[in-house]
Amino acid sequence: MLVGIGPGSTDHMTARARAAIAEADTIIGYVTYIKLVADLIEGKEIIRKSMTEELDRAIESLARAREGKKVALISSGDAGVYGMAGPTFEVLFQAGWTPPAFDENGVVEPGGIEVEIVPGASALNSCAARVGAPLTHDFCAISLSDLLTPWPTIARRLDAAAMADFVVALYNPKSGRRTRQIEEAQRLFLRHRSPDTPVAIVKSAYRRRERIEFATLATMCDADIGMLSTVLIGNSNTIVQHGLMVTPRGYANKYDVEGGGATREGERPGRSLSTGLNGWLENLQMDHAAGESIEALALRHRLPADYIRDTLAQPLAIAEAAAAATEEEA
Amino acid sequence: MLVGIGPGSTDHMTARARAAIAEADTIIGYVTYIKLVADLIEGKEIIRKSMTEELDRAIESLARAREGKKVALISSGDAGVYGMAGPTFEVLFQAGWTPPAFDENGVVEPGGIEVEIVPGASALNSCAARVGAPLTHDFCAISLSDLLTPWPTIARRLDAAAMADFVVALYNPKSGRRTRQIEEAQRLFLRHRSPDTPVAIVKSAYRRRERIEFATLATMCDADIGMLSTVLIGNSNTIVQHGLMVTPRGYANKYDVEGGGATREGERPGRSLSTGLNGWLENLQMDHAAGESIEALALRHRLPADYIRDTLAQPLAIAEAAAAATEEEA
């Protein structure tokens, strides 16, 4: 059982995570995570590993499972988000493991080893909850650790996320040895985003030593950032008000939010925006027919020219879309 | 209390979410989410809203809170990830709400309204757990709903995420009326990614009607995709093996995973890769000194030329980095 224990307070652990730990004979994990569940593991075999021993944790888990032990491999946050689920499957596949067969009662056939991933709130979920509502629109998670990932891959993702105006959660932003990565991230972001872009630095969310600091893209590197921090960078619409970081969902695109909430002219509740896909496709055809070049359209919409060209060459599917269901959405 | 109830099975709800619902006098939410917590809300005032009434849910919550009621506003998944936390703060700010003052015992001063966000596993966490370990490396969440977001914004994000090789979770991929957005997403992805890229479509994770389907980027639009689906698109390293979708973390960059696990030549456990930031900076200087042009370097590393130019102009901070702490990482 790969158990995501959430941010580290038992309050924010799921019932299933708690039950998985209770059912287990053996608990394996990074020493710090083991401490976070200390009150749940009395009487069990405990195997504490250091931070570098991720593959060892998976190998040890497989060895114990082969002995017939029920093993809980502990991850902080979500076991699937930069957690132990990935390395464990890598080790299992390497060792020739295959998913077990089940008998007619749903019980694993002899010799089989079942794997369960127990999801939980990852750092981005927990940190967002502590600072307001920064993840209300599209977002990315990027780890700044270059211990297993080449820098150009990381830099390319930072550049793309900054350009396309994603809210970004930086995992592993800084360590004792890795101090320049966060400065490079800032530099890549400043090529696309305003220096005033809100940034929140959250350390040890929901733990005893929790610390929340607000900054901007210009000042973020002066903040106290370490191994237990997550850095949240807002998008171009994100605001900080009354000590809360909020990314608006876009209601102002459709409703007169300031003036009583009426629907804006040309927009309909429960329907795509007039600048949504179908409206945009129509306007693109019209603007092109009126003489606007593919290059000019690409520049104005900040989209690749070949995408604009291909789009103009495709048949409009509006009739088909309009004929479709009656389903309504927010 | 903005309560993220997780995927919808009480097993995967946190203790705090459960307690928040128990403490509440009034439960407000979309009818479907109210049904998911039916066994926890007996005897409470229940206000059911339709999907389009997101702002109404927030307005109603504020009205009840002003009457002195303790309100739980329910979101499926995480209240902060495309959930009610954003719209609620928008409504609160609009209504002139400010965070309350607390007395010396930590009790809210009369007239104050306290807001708590209760994080939970969002769809990307739950769906990932059901298909294997797809989110073990950098990922994005992108909503294909154009009801509040113009299409060029969505398209730009799809293009950027595809180009920079993020794993992507598509929220709101398709509805009765919105059928073409997923095809456009596929078209934007195919400009950068192999048609064989693994895709998983997860419907109603952990609920009674859960359905998991594997496809590829080429075939994803033939899958059964609807309002309750999340679409997970792998990165260029993601594999599907034994019915499990796994994104490798990158151990093979540092260790001879196939051949016994020895550290590769030039790499050190617990340290940045030789192609990590410092190594990359050194090589960049050397390659440029050896005559490789900025444009050639930009092309080879697939990074913007101005970033390469600025990087070459900056002083190397290697000495400083090397002098830093003794901390070790995975």
Side-chain angles (χ1 to χ4, degrees):
Chain A
M1 299 172 291
L2 290 140
V3 183
I5 61 168
S9 78
T10 45
D11 258 9
H12 291 90
M13 197 181 291
T14 66
R16 180 61 201 134
R18 212 183 166 88
I21 292 170
E23 285 167 24
D25 309 304
T26 301
I27 309 288
I28 301 184
Y30 172 46
V31 283
T32 306
Y33 307 156
I34 297 277
K35 277 184 204 155
L36 293 172
V37 295
D39 52 330
L40 304 175
I41 58 178
E42 211 173 311
K44 299 177 189 294
E45 182 192 27
I46 315 294
I47 300 175
R48 294 174 181 80
K49 293 283 180 178
S50 78
M51 190 178 273
T52 47
E53 299 171 308
E54 287 198 312
L55 293 178
D56 284 354
R57 284 179 237 169
I59 291 163
E60 195 86 36
S61 297
L62 176 59
R64 288 299 194 282
R66 280 181 169 156
E67 290 168 10
K69 295 281 195 295
K70 201 158 186 178
V71 181
L73 181 46
I74 307 290
S75 281
S76 74
D78 183 334
V81 174
Y82 301 110
M84 282 302 302
T88 301
F89 281 121
E90 290 188 63
V91 164
L92 288 170
F93 291 163
Q94 190 61 28
W97 170 87
T98 54
F102 294 87
D103 68 17
E104 66 265 28
N105 302 314
V107 176
V108 175
E109 298 270 12
I113 294 173
E114 194 181 356
V115 177
E116 178 189 354
I117 315 286
V118 181
S122 180
L124 66 86
N125 305 94
S126 305
C127 295
R130 296 303 290 149
V131 303
L135 303 180
T136 301
H137 216 298
D138 304 332
F139 61 89
C140 298
I142 303 176
S143 168
L144 294 191
S145 170
D146 57 2
L147 274 70
L148 298 172
T149 308
W151 181 253
T153 303
I154 300 171
R156 209 175 294 135
R157 288 177 182 159
L158 291 166
D159 181 55
M163 183 273 292
D165 205 25
F166 282 98
V167 178
V168 176
L170 298 179
Y171 281 68
N172 308 309
K174 198 174 179 178
S175 74
R177 281 212 183 80
R178 290 184 304 96
T179 56
R180 187 168 171 165
Q181 282 75 3
I182 186 75
E183 292 168 24
E184 291 289 312
Q186 178 192 41
R187 195 156 67 84
L188 282 157
F189 263 78
L190 282 169
R191 296 174 58 255
H192 300 284
R193 300 272 188 96
S194 160
D196 299 331
T197 304
V199 172
I201 298 100
V202 185
K203 197 170 186 170
S204 302
Y206 293 104
R207 296 187 199 168
R208 204 161 36 85
R209 295 187 181 164
E210 178 184 276
R211 194 171 163 205
I212 297 169
E213 200 174 338
F214 287 101
T216 64
L217 199 47
T219 65
M220 61 184 262
C221 290
D222 305 331
D224 174 26
I225 302 177
M227 286 286 285
L228 300 170
S229 307
T230 302
V231 176
L232 295 167
I233 305 175
N235 71 17
S236 60
N237 296 310
T238 303
I239 55 164
V240 173
Q241 198 167 329
H242 308 309
L244 292 158
M245 183 176 182
V246 176
T247 302
R249 182 75 161 272
Y251 291 98
N253 292 332
K254 180 173 274 179
Y255 304 101
D256 179 12
V257 176
E258 305 270 321
T263 308
R264 289 192 190 282
E265 206 184 315
E267 306 299 346
R268 289 177 300 171
R271 300 295 176 90
S272 293
L273 283 182
S274 60
T275 52
L277 179 58
N278 286 343
W280 182 75
L281 289 172
E282 273 186 83
N283 286 324
L284 196 72
Q285 296 281 3
M286 274 169 24
D287 294 341
H288 188 53
E292 198 168 349
S293 72
I294 284 169
E295 289 65 32
L297 287 164
L299 203 66
R300 178 153 68 85
H301 294 297
R302 293 198 286 132
L303 284 167
D306 69 313
Y307 173 66
I308 300 285
R309 184 176 303 109
D310 291 353
T311 302
L312 287 167
Q314 289 215 334
L316 277 182
I318 291 171
E320 175 201 315
T326 53
E327 203 171 357
E328 295 243 336
E329 299 165 80
Chain B
M1 299 173 290
L2 290 140
V3 184
I5 60 169
S9 79
T10 45
D11 258 10
H12 291 89
M13 197 180 293
T14 65
R16 180 61 202 134
R18 211 183 168 90
I21 293 170
E23 285 168 23
D25 310 303
T26 302
I27 309 288
I28 301 184
Y30 172 45
V31 283
T32 306
Y33 306 156
I34 297 278
K35 276 183 205 155
L36 294 171
V37 295
D39 53 328
L40 304 175
I41 59 178
E42 211 174 310
K44 299 177 189 293
E45 181 192 28
I46 315 296
I47 301 175
R48 294 174 180 81
K49 294 281 180 180
S50 78
M51 189 177 275
T52 48
E53 299 171 310
E54 286 197 315
L55 293 178
D56 284 355
R57 283 179 239 169
I59 290 163
E60 195 87 35
S61 297
L62 176 58
R64 286 298 192 285
R66 280 181 169 157
E67 291 168 10
K69 295 280 195 297
K70 201 157 187 179
V71 181
L73 181 46
I74 307 290
S75 282
S76 73
D78 183 334
V81 174
Y82 301 111
M84 282 303 301
T88 300
F89 281 121
E90 290 188 64
V91 163
L92 288 170
F93 291 163
Q94 190 62 28
W97 169 88
T98 53
F102 294 87
D103 68 18
E104 67 265 30
N105 302 315
V107 176
V108 175
E109 298 270 11
I113 294 173
E114 192 181 356
V115 177
E116 179 188 354
I117 314 284
V118 181
S122 180
L124 66 84
N125 305 95
S126 305
C127 295
R130 296 303 289 150
V131 304
L135 303 180
T136 301
H137 216 297
D138 304 333
F139 61 90
C140 298
I142 303 176
S143 167
L144 293 191
S145 171
D146 57 1
L147 274 71
L148 299 171
T149 309
W151 181 253
T153 303
I154 300 171
R156 210 175 294 134
R157 288 176 183 159
L158 290 165
D159 182 55
M163 184 272 292
D165 206 26
F166 282 99
V167 179
V168 176
L170 298 178
Y171 281 68
N172 308 308
K174 197 174 180 180
S175 73
R177 281 211 183 80
R178 291 185 304 97
T179 56
R180 188 167 169 165
Q181 281 75 2
I182 186 77
E183 292 168 23
E184 291 289 312
Q186 178 192 40
R187 195 155 67 85
L188 282 157
F189 263 79
L190 282 169
R191 295 175 58 255
H192 300 284
R193 300 271 190 95
S194 160
D196 298 331
T197 304
V199 173
I201 298 100
V202 185
K203 197 169 187 171
S204 302
Y206 292 106
R207 296 186 200 168
R208 202 161 38 85
R209 295 188 181 162
E210 177 183 276
R211 196 172 161 206
I212 297 168
E213 202 174 335
F214 286 100
T216 63
L217 198 48
T219 65
M220 61 184 262
C221 290
D222 305 332
D224 175 26
I225 302 178
M227 287 285 284
L228 301 171
S229 307
T230 303
V231 176
L232 296 167
I233 304 175
N235 71 16
S236 60
N237 295 311
T238 303
I239 55 162
V240 173
Q241 197 166 329
H242 308 310
L244 293 158
M245 183 177 181
V246 176
T247 303
R249 182 76 160 273
Y251 291 97
N253 292 332
K254 182 173 273 177
Y255 304 100
D256 179 14
V257 176
E258 306 269 322
T263 308
R264 290 191 188 284
E265 205 184 316
E267 307 298 346
R268 288 178 301 171
R271 300 294 176 91
S272 294
L273 282 182
S274 60
T275 53
L277 179 59
N278 286 343
W280 182 75
L281 288 172
E282 275 187 81
N283 285 324
L284 196 72
Q285 297 280 5
M286 275 170 23
D287 294 340
H288 187 53
E292 198 167 350
S293 72
I294 285 169
E295 289 65 32
L297 287 164
L299 203 67
R300 179 154 67 87
H301 293 297
R302 293 199 286 131
L303 284 168
D306 69 312
Y307 174 67
I308 300 287
R309 185 176 304 109
D310 291 355
T311 302
L312 287 168
Q314 291 214 336
L316 276 182
I318 290 170
E320 174 199 316
T326 53
E327 204 171 357
E328 294 244 335
E329 299 166 77

